[in-house]
Amino acid sequence: MDEDELTERMSRRFEDADSDVEDNSTTSETDMSSSTSGASEKSQNEQKAQNIKKEWNVRSFYLNDNLDDDLTTAFKRLDLELSEAGADVDLKKTRHFYPLIVELGLERLEEMESTEVTERLER
């Protein structure tokens, strides 16, 4: 994914980011391409949440040191790239980055064959 495509995708997904009040929770997006219009509408409402801590679901998980370092680096790199590109997005970890990582991971997971998943888990 090139920088312009990423910036455009982030802009569409998080166009209402300026109204953030809270930024201390994680969630997954529910708006997939095969979703019904009701699910899509729900996802749009979730993105406009004033207080994500109260309005979104919490997910906790554990990461080994290497994966945690990679995640931190990826956030910093993306934040810098968006800033340098002049993107009108104030990237927040819990409102933007973590849901984006989950959504992209789910999209990739759907594309993978079961053998690919097994090989990845065995690493």
Side-chain angles (χ1 to χ4, degrees):
M1 182 179 314
D2 68 6
E3 186 176 319
D4 290 337
E5 183 181 355
L6 179 61
T7 301
E8 180 182 329
R9 193 172 184 174
M10 291 288 292
S11 294
R12 283 193 320 258
R13 182 157 294 131
F14 306 113
E15 62 190 22
D16 201 26
D18 292 336
S19 66
D20 288 357
V21 173
E22 294 287 334
D23 189 36
N24 296 318
S25 181
T26 59
T27 187
S28 62
E29 298 287 325
T30 59
D31 186 19
M32 299 293 181
S33 59
S34 61
S35 297
T36 63
S37 62
S40 178
E41 186 176 310
K42 180 180 177 185
S43 179
Q44 290 173 359
N45 289 340
E46 288 174 350
Q47 291 173 8
K48 295 178 182 177
Q50 294 297 308
N51 185 335
I52 63 174
K53 198 172 186 180
K54 292 180 180 178
E55 298 178 45
W56 287 8
N57 298 309
V58 174
R59 295 284 179 197
S60 293
F61 52 92
Y62 299 92
L63 302 174
N64 65 36
D65 289 341
N66 291 333
L67 196 52
D68 186 55
D69 290 345
D70 290 347
L71 190 64
T72 299
T73 300
F75 173 78
K76 289 177 180 178
R77 181 178 41 84
L78 179 60
D79 191 34
L80 178 62
E81 288 175 6
L82 291 172
S83 176
E84 289 178 343
D88 191 24
V89 176
D90 179 20
L91 188 67
K92 302 209 182 302
K93 277 187 181 178
T94 54
R95 178 175 283 273
H96 303 130
F97 184 69
Y98 293 150
L100 178 64
I101 292 296
V102 170
E103 185 174 2
L104 292 173
L106 290 172
E107 288 174 4
R108 174 66 176 109
L109 191 60
E110 287 178 10
E111 298 169 358
M112 295 174 76
E113 299 291 328
S114 60
T115 55
E116 290 178 274
V117 173
T118 303
E119 289 172 3
R120 183 59 69 103
L121 291 174
E122 289 175 351
R123 282 198 249 167

